[in-house]
Amino acid sequence: MADATLTPKAAEPVSSAQMRRQMLKEFWFYFSENRGAVIGLFVFLALVLVAILAPVIAPHSPFEQYRDAVLKPPVWAEGGTATYILGTDPVGRDILSRLIYGAQYSLFVGLVVTTLSLVSGIVVGLLAGYYRGWLDTIIMRLMDMILAVPSLLLALVLVTILGPGLNSAMIAIAVTLQPHFVRLTRAAVMAEKTRDYVTAARIAGASPLRLMFRTILPNCTAPLIVQATLSFSNAILDAAALGFLGMGAQPPTPEWGTMLAEAREFILRAWWVVTFPGLAILITVLAINLMGDGLRDALDPKLKRS
Amino acid sequence: MFGFLLRRLAVLIPTFIGVSIIAFSFIRLLPGDPVALLSGERVMSPERHAQISAQLGMDRPMIVQYFDYLGGVLTGDFGTSIVSKKPVLDQFLTLFPATVELSFCAIIIAIALGIPAGVIAAIKRGSIFDQGLMGIALVGYSMPIFWWGLLLIILFSGTLQWFPVSGRISLMFYFPQVTGFMLIDSLISGQKGAFASALSHLVLPSIVLATIPLAVIARQTRSAMLEVLSEDYVRTARAKGLSPFRVVGIHALRNAMIPVITTVGLQVGVMLAGAILTETIFSWPGIGKWILDSVFRRDYAVIQGGLLLIAAIIMTVNLIVDLLYGLVNPRIRH
């Protein structure tokens, strides 16, 4: 702030860009030290690519039922053909193509749920931490209530009210994940609020909104980013669980959890219809959690390895 | 310590009242007419509607209805199942031991494997052990347990035929429920093979339910242990020539266990959520399966009562954990 007023106006954006580059460089230095995190990042990027390019790379339509090729095993197993690399499901749909399209759903769910819970959690947490008093008490009791119910049970109850489907599932999961963001933001705001730079900004005449969002919030981002990655993987897991229980995405949507639900009765006859969708969920969630661990190491100075 | 208990209760009671408001509102938030939903009758004349509405007390103001509901809950009336017409609490108490038995076995597995794994990883920090154990823990933490359960069924029930696919005990055995815990009841019955059957039915579901808590406990133990191992008093203990076993096992582990206790307590909620999935996969007749079945049967009274009962259990467990925490770590009391 003080620098900006002293340096000539033209030079200012350059210096802030330089600073940002310096920060990014430092971040990458710590992040790339964690081999798992880098692997997780690459797997995640590959999944994003698969999701975007799904119409191009999927060998078949995810909905087309090949009636003459029902429950074909994968190509390397006995009786498998190269037409259906990972085999077909009980109604003759190509499993690989369904998995490729399923990546779209899972990443979409992760993105929407994380954004919803992050944004609402930050706003509510900022209000609670900044104003304290009765508002804080009410908000925190509300969050305690949400946390007192197991997340999957609460999601089930909410989906019962909203009606089964992917949209209700996303809203329900966002509600169960949001308290974590509220608590983190609130704690960070309470710690930052008494610092000198906040007092200085207030005396300089900054409005409460500016104080909350421009002055305090940028200094609370590190734990929020780590929590956001965790929420991303949790959202994918919970959405798949709801799909598996028949309360999430509805058939014939090629959502991974829903695919598992449809395949359940065939587990002892056709291992591949069950194995691959679950493996896709596991790999995705694992990649994101690996990244999350790396982010935590890189962003949390307390845990930085010296 | 008493003041600490009072302070915790001051937070807990409003939370419980809040959850009861959620449970109360649940039926009234559902799409459709709550009177029709609760009576289970789809088509009814206005007279019949008014009659049932009066019978259920739903013609009174909302606030009166709520206090009536809360009064019922406090005296053990959690509503009546729409499908079976039995009190929700009775059904809950019949099924609860099955969930407790399963969760108890799971948490034992999680603690017995998770804490040693975390300790070893911390002592051998950076070694192949550490990386291997923490790699496995992260996989466990990322596991979609409903899929994991299906995989175990394919391998151990299908291919190898070591363990049964579903249920709590083989249909060959029949004996009266004494405690509700199959392991104990089968021993009491004295029937040959009954205990072994009950035990073999427990193995796969317990492993599935233990997976995520195990991973969380292992990771938490490792990081708590690492923090403690760098403390001065541990260095002092080493410097004065105590055996490594004594330093780690007595001096470090005790303090490292403080955050781990909280983690274990928090796993109760995780387990009850996991029970919904695990019990569904293994047809385990417990609370989780009951709630999910009720969702499909549209037995909203059971969902309402079950929600509140489960929340009450979790809150009680959290309170106990908090008190234990205050007991082992006096600093937290103030």
Short mmCIF file of all heavy atoms in Angstrom, two decimals, chain A residues 233-273:
data_model
loop_
_atom_site.label_atom_id
_atom_site.label_comp_id
_atom_site.label_asym_id
_atom_site.label_seq_id
_atom_site.Cartn_x
_atom_site.Cartn_y
_atom_site.Cartn_z
N SER A 233 -12.48 -33.30 -3.54
CA SER A 233 -12.46 -34.76 -3.56
C SER A 233 -13.62 -35.34 -2.76
O SER A 233 -14.24 -36.32 -3.16
CB SER A 233 -11.13 -35.29 -3.04
OG SER A 233 -10.89 -34.83 -1.74
N ASN A 234 -13.98 -34.68 -1.64
CA ASN A 234 -15.13 -35.16 -0.86
C ASN A 234 -16.42 -35.08 -1.67
O ASN A 234 -17.26 -35.96 -1.58
CB ASN A 234 -15.30 -34.32 0.41
CG ASN A 234 -14.49 -34.88 1.54
OD1 ASN A 234 -14.26 -36.09 1.60
ND2 ASN A 234 -14.04 -34.03 2.43
N ALA A 235 -16.55 -33.99 -2.44
CA ALA A 235 -17.76 -33.81 -3.23
C ALA A 235 -17.89 -34.94 -4.25
O ALA A 235 -18.97 -35.50 -4.44
CB ALA A 235 -17.72 -32.45 -3.94
N ILE A 236 -16.77 -35.29 -4.88
CA ILE A 236 -16.81 -36.36 -5.88
C ILE A 236 -17.19 -37.68 -5.21
O ILE A 236 -18.03 -38.43 -5.70
CB ILE A 236 -15.45 -36.47 -6.60
CG1 ILE A 236 -15.24 -35.23 -7.47
CG2 ILE A 236 -15.37 -37.73 -7.44
CD1 ILE A 236 -13.92 -35.17 -8.16
N LEU A 237 -16.58 -37.95 -4.05
CA LEU A 237 -16.90 -39.19 -3.32
C LEU A 237 -18.36 -39.23 -2.89
O LEU A 237 -19.05 -40.24 -3.08
CB LEU A 237 -16.02 -39.29 -2.07
CG LEU A 237 -14.72 -40.07 -2.16
CD1 LEU A 237 -14.06 -40.13 -0.80
CD2 LEU A 237 -14.96 -41.47 -2.68
N ASP A 238 -18.85 -38.13 -2.32
CA ASP A 238 -20.23 -38.12 -1.82
C ASP A 238 -21.23 -38.20 -2.96
O ASP A 238 -22.26 -38.87 -2.84
CB ASP A 238 -20.49 -36.87 -0.97
CG ASP A 238 -19.89 -37.00 0.42
OD1 ASP A 238 -19.41 -38.09 0.74
OD2 ASP A 238 -19.89 -36.01 1.17
N ALA A 239 -20.93 -37.52 -4.06
CA ALA A 239 -21.85 -37.57 -5.21
C ALA A 239 -21.91 -38.98 -5.76
O ALA A 239 -22.99 -39.49 -6.11
CB ALA A 239 -21.41 -36.59 -6.29
N ALA A 240 -20.75 -39.65 -5.79
CA ALA A 240 -20.73 -41.03 -6.27
C ALA A 240 -21.50 -41.93 -5.30
O ALA A 240 -22.25 -42.81 -5.72
CB ALA A 240 -19.30 -41.52 -6.43
N ALA A 241 -21.35 -41.67 -3.98
CA ALA A 241 -22.07 -42.47 -2.99
C ALA A 241 -23.58 -42.28 -3.15
O ALA A 241 -24.34 -43.24 -3.13
CB ALA A 241 -21.63 -42.08 -1.58
N LEU A 242 -24.00 -41.03 -3.33
CA LEU A 242 -25.44 -40.78 -3.53
C LEU A 242 -25.92 -41.44 -4.81
O LEU A 242 -27.01 -42.02 -4.85
CB LEU A 242 -25.72 -39.27 -3.57
CG LEU A 242 -25.71 -38.54 -2.23
CD1 LEU A 242 -25.89 -37.06 -2.43
CD2 LEU A 242 -26.80 -39.08 -1.32
N GLY A 243 -25.10 -41.37 -5.86
CA GLY A 243 -25.46 -42.03 -7.11
C GLY A 243 -25.59 -43.53 -6.90
O GLY A 243 -26.52 -44.17 -7.40
N PHE A 244 -24.65 -44.08 -6.11
CA PHE A 244 -24.66 -45.51 -5.83
C PHE A 244 -25.93 -45.90 -5.06
O PHE A 244 -26.50 -46.97 -5.27
CB PHE A 244 -23.42 -45.88 -5.02
CG PHE A 244 -23.36 -47.32 -4.61
CD1 PHE A 244 -23.08 -48.31 -5.53
CD2 PHE A 244 -23.59 -47.69 -3.29
CE1 PHE A 244 -23.03 -49.63 -5.16
CE2 PHE A 244 -23.54 -49.01 -2.90
CZ PHE A 244 -23.26 -49.99 -3.84
N LEU A 245 -26.38 -45.02 -4.17
CA LEU A 245 -27.57 -45.31 -3.37
C LEU A 245 -28.85 -45.01 -4.14
O LEU A 245 -29.95 -45.20 -3.63
CB LEU A 245 -27.56 -44.50 -2.07
CG LEU A 245 -26.44 -44.85 -1.09
CD1 LEU A 245 -26.46 -43.90 0.10
CD2 LEU A 245 -26.57 -46.29 -0.60
N GLY A 246 -28.70 -44.52 -5.39
CA GLY A 246 -29.88 -44.25 -6.21
C GLY A 246 -30.48 -42.88 -5.97
O GLY A 246 -31.56 -42.59 -6.43
N MET A 247 -29.76 -42.02 -5.21
CA MET A 247 -30.32 -40.71 -4.89
C MET A 247 -29.58 -39.58 -5.60
O MET A 247 -29.91 -38.42 -5.42
CB MET A 247 -30.25 -40.46 -3.38
CG MET A 247 -30.99 -41.48 -2.54
SD MET A 247 -32.74 -41.58 -2.93
CE MET A 247 -33.36 -40.14 -2.07
N GLY A 248 -28.57 -39.90 -6.39
CA GLY A 248 -27.84 -38.86 -7.09
C GLY A 248 -28.26 -38.81 -8.54
O GLY A 248 -29.46 -38.87 -8.84
N ALA A 249 -27.25 -38.74 -9.43
CA ALA A 249 -27.55 -38.75 -10.87
C ALA A 249 -28.36 -40.01 -11.19
O ALA A 249 -28.11 -41.08 -10.63
CB ALA A 249 -26.25 -38.74 -11.65
N GLN A 250 -29.35 -39.88 -12.05
CA GLN A 250 -30.23 -41.00 -12.34
C GLN A 250 -29.81 -41.72 -13.63
O GLN A 250 -29.27 -41.09 -14.54
CB GLN A 250 -31.67 -40.49 -12.48
CG GLN A 250 -32.22 -39.87 -11.19
CD GLN A 250 -32.32 -40.87 -10.07
OE1 GLN A 250 -32.92 -41.92 -10.21
NE2 GLN A 250 -31.70 -40.55 -8.92
N PRO A 251 -30.02 -43.03 -13.71
CA PRO A 251 -29.72 -43.75 -14.94
C PRO A 251 -30.53 -43.14 -16.09
O PRO A 251 -31.64 -42.67 -15.84
CB PRO A 251 -30.19 -45.18 -14.66
CG PRO A 251 -30.40 -45.26 -13.19
CD PRO A 251 -30.61 -43.88 -12.68
N PRO A 252 -30.05 -43.14 -17.32
CA PRO A 252 -28.81 -43.76 -17.78
C PRO A 252 -27.57 -42.87 -17.75
O PRO A 252 -26.62 -43.11 -18.47
CB PRO A 252 -29.16 -44.10 -19.23
CG PRO A 252 -30.04 -42.97 -19.67
CD PRO A 252 -30.81 -42.55 -18.43
N THR A 253 -27.59 -41.79 -16.93
CA THR A 253 -26.43 -40.90 -16.85
C THR A 253 -25.16 -41.71 -16.59
O THR A 253 -25.15 -42.54 -15.68
CB THR A 253 -26.60 -39.91 -15.68
OG1 THR A 253 -27.91 -39.38 -15.73
CG2 THR A 253 -25.59 -38.80 -15.75
N PRO A 254 -24.10 -41.48 -17.37
CA PRO A 254 -22.86 -42.24 -17.13
C PRO A 254 -22.06 -41.69 -15.95
O PRO A 254 -20.87 -41.44 -16.06
CB PRO A 254 -22.11 -42.09 -18.45
CG PRO A 254 -22.58 -40.82 -19.02
CD PRO A 254 -24.00 -40.63 -18.56
N GLU A 255 -22.73 -41.47 -14.82
CA GLU A 255 -22.01 -41.01 -13.62
C GLU A 255 -21.43 -42.26 -12.96
O GLU A 255 -22.08 -43.30 -12.91
CB GLU A 255 -22.98 -40.27 -12.70
CG GLU A 255 -22.31 -39.42 -11.64
CD GLU A 255 -22.03 -40.17 -10.35
OE1 GLU A 255 -22.79 -41.10 -10.03
OE2 GLU A 255 -21.04 -39.86 -9.70
N TRP A 256 -20.20 -42.16 -12.43
CA TRP A 256 -19.48 -43.36 -11.96
C TRP A 256 -20.22 -44.09 -10.84
O TRP A 256 -20.30 -45.32 -10.84
CB TRP A 256 -18.06 -42.99 -11.54
CG TRP A 256 -17.21 -42.50 -12.68
CD1 TRP A 256 -17.39 -42.79 -14.01
CD2 TRP A 256 -16.08 -41.63 -12.61
NE1 TRP A 256 -16.45 -42.15 -14.76
CE2 TRP A 256 -15.61 -41.44 -13.93
CE3 TRP A 256 -15.40 -41.00 -11.57
CZ2 TRP A 256 -14.51 -40.64 -14.24
CZ3 TRP A 256 -14.31 -40.21 -11.87
CH2 TRP A 256 -13.87 -40.04 -13.19
N GLY A 257 -20.76 -43.34 -9.88
CA GLY A 257 -21.47 -43.99 -8.77
C GLY A 257 -22.75 -44.67 -9.26
O GLY A 257 -23.09 -45.78 -8.85
N THR A 258 -23.46 -43.99 -10.16
CA THR A 258 -24.68 -44.56 -10.72
C THR A 258 -24.37 -45.82 -11.52
O THR A 258 -25.12 -46.80 -11.49
CB THR A 258 -25.36 -43.50 -11.62
OG1 THR A 258 -25.38 -42.26 -10.93
CG2 THR A 258 -26.78 -43.90 -11.97
N MET A 259 -23.23 -45.79 -12.23
CA MET A 259 -22.82 -46.98 -12.99
C MET A 259 -22.62 -48.16 -12.05
O MET A 259 -23.00 -49.29 -12.35
CB MET A 259 -21.52 -46.70 -13.75
CG MET A 259 -21.69 -45.82 -14.98
SD MET A 259 -20.10 -45.37 -15.71
CE MET A 259 -19.57 -46.93 -16.40
N LEU A 260 -22.00 -47.89 -10.90
CA LEU A 260 -21.77 -48.96 -9.92
C LEU A 260 -23.09 -49.52 -9.40
O LEU A 260 -23.24 -50.74 -9.23
CB LEU A 260 -20.98 -48.41 -8.73
CG LEU A 260 -19.47 -48.46 -8.85
CD1 LEU A 260 -18.84 -47.77 -7.65
CD2 LEU A 260 -19.01 -49.91 -8.90
N ALA A 261 -24.06 -48.63 -9.17
CA ALA A 261 -25.36 -49.08 -8.68
C ALA A 261 -26.02 -50.01 -9.69
O ALA A 261 -26.57 -51.06 -9.34
CB ALA A 261 -26.25 -47.88 -8.40
N GLU A 262 -25.91 -49.64 -10.98
CA GLU A 262 -26.53 -50.46 -12.00
C GLU A 262 -25.83 -51.81 -12.14
O GLU A 262 -26.43 -52.79 -12.57
CB GLU A 262 -26.48 -49.74 -13.35
CG GLU A 262 -27.40 -48.54 -13.45
CD GLU A 262 -27.28 -47.89 -14.82
OE1 GLU A 262 -28.03 -48.28 -15.71
OE2 GLU A 262 -26.42 -47.01 -14.98
N ALA A 263 -24.53 -51.83 -11.81
CA ALA A 263 -23.73 -53.03 -12.03
C ALA A 263 -23.78 -54.00 -10.85
O ALA A 263 -23.33 -55.13 -10.94
CB ALA A 263 -22.28 -52.64 -12.31
N ARG A 264 -24.35 -53.52 -9.72
CA ARG A 264 -24.22 -54.25 -8.46
C ARG A 264 -24.64 -55.71 -8.53
O ARG A 264 -23.97 -56.60 -8.02
CB ARG A 264 -25.03 -53.55 -7.39
CG ARG A 264 -24.22 -53.25 -6.16
CD ARG A 264 -25.11 -52.65 -5.13
NE ARG A 264 -25.40 -53.63 -4.10
CZ ARG A 264 -26.24 -53.40 -3.11
NH1 ARG A 264 -26.88 -52.25 -3.05
NH2 ARG A 264 -26.45 -54.32 -2.21
N GLU A 265 -25.77 -55.97 -9.19
CA GLU A 265 -26.27 -57.35 -9.17
C GLU A 265 -25.41 -58.29 -10.02
O GLU A 265 -25.57 -59.50 -9.96
CB GLU A 265 -27.72 -57.39 -9.62
CG GLU A 265 -27.97 -56.57 -10.87
CD GLU A 265 -29.46 -56.50 -11.21
OE1 GLU A 265 -30.06 -57.57 -11.29
OE2 GLU A 265 -29.97 -55.38 -11.40
N PHE A 266 -24.50 -57.72 -10.81
CA PHE A 266 -23.70 -58.57 -11.70
C PHE A 266 -22.30 -58.84 -11.14
O PHE A 266 -21.47 -59.41 -11.83
CB PHE A 266 -23.58 -57.92 -13.08
CG PHE A 266 -24.92 -57.80 -13.75
CD1 PHE A 266 -25.65 -56.63 -13.62
CD2 PHE A 266 -25.45 -58.86 -14.48
CE1 PHE A 266 -26.91 -56.52 -14.22
CE2 PHE A 266 -26.69 -58.74 -15.07
CZ PHE A 266 -27.43 -57.58 -14.95
N ILE A 267 -22.06 -58.42 -9.88
CA ILE A 267 -20.68 -58.46 -9.39
C ILE A 267 -20.07 -59.85 -9.44
O ILE A 267 -18.90 -59.98 -9.73
CB ILE A 267 -20.51 -57.88 -7.97
CG1 ILE A 267 -21.46 -58.54 -6.99
CG2 ILE A 267 -20.63 -56.40 -7.96
CD1 ILE A 267 -21.10 -58.18 -5.55
N LEU A 268 -20.84 -60.87 -9.17
CA LEU A 268 -20.21 -62.19 -9.12
C LEU A 268 -20.11 -62.82 -10.52
O LEU A 268 -19.46 -63.83 -10.71
CB LEU A 268 -20.97 -63.11 -8.16
CG LEU A 268 -20.88 -62.67 -6.70
CD1 LEU A 268 -21.64 -63.61 -5.79
CD2 LEU A 268 -19.43 -62.55 -6.23
N ARG A 269 -20.77 -62.20 -11.52
CA ARG A 269 -20.72 -62.75 -12.87
C ARG A 269 -19.76 -61.98 -13.77
O ARG A 269 -19.13 -62.55 -14.64
CB ARG A 269 -22.12 -62.69 -13.49
CG ARG A 269 -22.93 -63.93 -13.18
CD ARG A 269 -23.94 -64.14 -14.26
NE ARG A 269 -25.04 -63.19 -14.17
CZ ARG A 269 -25.72 -62.75 -15.21
NH1 ARG A 269 -25.41 -63.14 -16.43
NH2 ARG A 269 -26.72 -61.92 -15.05
N ALA A 270 -19.69 -60.68 -13.60
CA ALA A 270 -18.88 -59.84 -14.49
C ALA A 270 -18.13 -58.81 -13.66
O ALA A 270 -18.63 -57.73 -13.39
CB ALA A 270 -19.78 -59.16 -15.51
N TRP A 271 -16.89 -59.16 -13.26
CA TRP A 271 -16.13 -58.29 -12.35
C TRP A 271 -15.85 -56.93 -12.95
O TRP A 271 -15.74 -55.94 -12.25
CB TRP A 271 -14.82 -58.97 -11.93
CG TRP A 271 -13.97 -59.38 -13.10
CD1 TRP A 271 -13.99 -60.57 -13.74
CD2 TRP A 271 -13.00 -58.58 -13.78
NE1 TRP A 271 -13.10 -60.58 -14.78
CE2 TRP A 271 -12.48 -59.37 -14.82
CE3 TRP A 271 -12.51 -57.28 -13.61
CZ2 TRP A 271 -11.50 -58.90 -15.70
CZ3 TRP A 271 -11.54 -56.81 -14.48
CH2 TRP A 271 -11.05 -57.62 -15.51
N TRP A 272 -15.75 -56.86 -14.31
CA TRP A 272 -15.33 -55.61 -14.91
C TRP A 272 -16.37 -54.49 -14.81
O TRP A 272 -16.02 -53.33 -14.74
CB TRP A 272 -14.90 -55.82 -16.37
CG TRP A 272 -15.98 -56.41 -17.23
CD1 TRP A 272 -16.87 -55.71 -17.99
CD2 TRP A 272 -16.28 -57.78 -17.40
NE1 TRP A 272 -17.72 -56.58 -18.63
CE2 TRP A 272 -17.39 -57.85 -18.29
CE3 TRP A 272 -15.76 -58.98 -16.90
CZ2 TRP A 272 -17.96 -59.06 -18.67
CZ3 TRP A 272 -16.33 -60.17 -17.30
CH2 TRP A 272 -17.42 -60.22 -18.17
N VAL A 273 -17.64 -54.84 -14.79
CA VAL A 273 -18.64 -53.77 -14.72
C VAL A 273 -18.58 -53.04 -13.39
O VAL A 273 -18.99 -51.89 -13.28
CB VAL A 273 -20.09 -54.26 -14.95
CG1 VAL A 273 -20.30 -54.66 -16.38
CG2 VAL A 273 -20.46 -55.38 -14.00
#
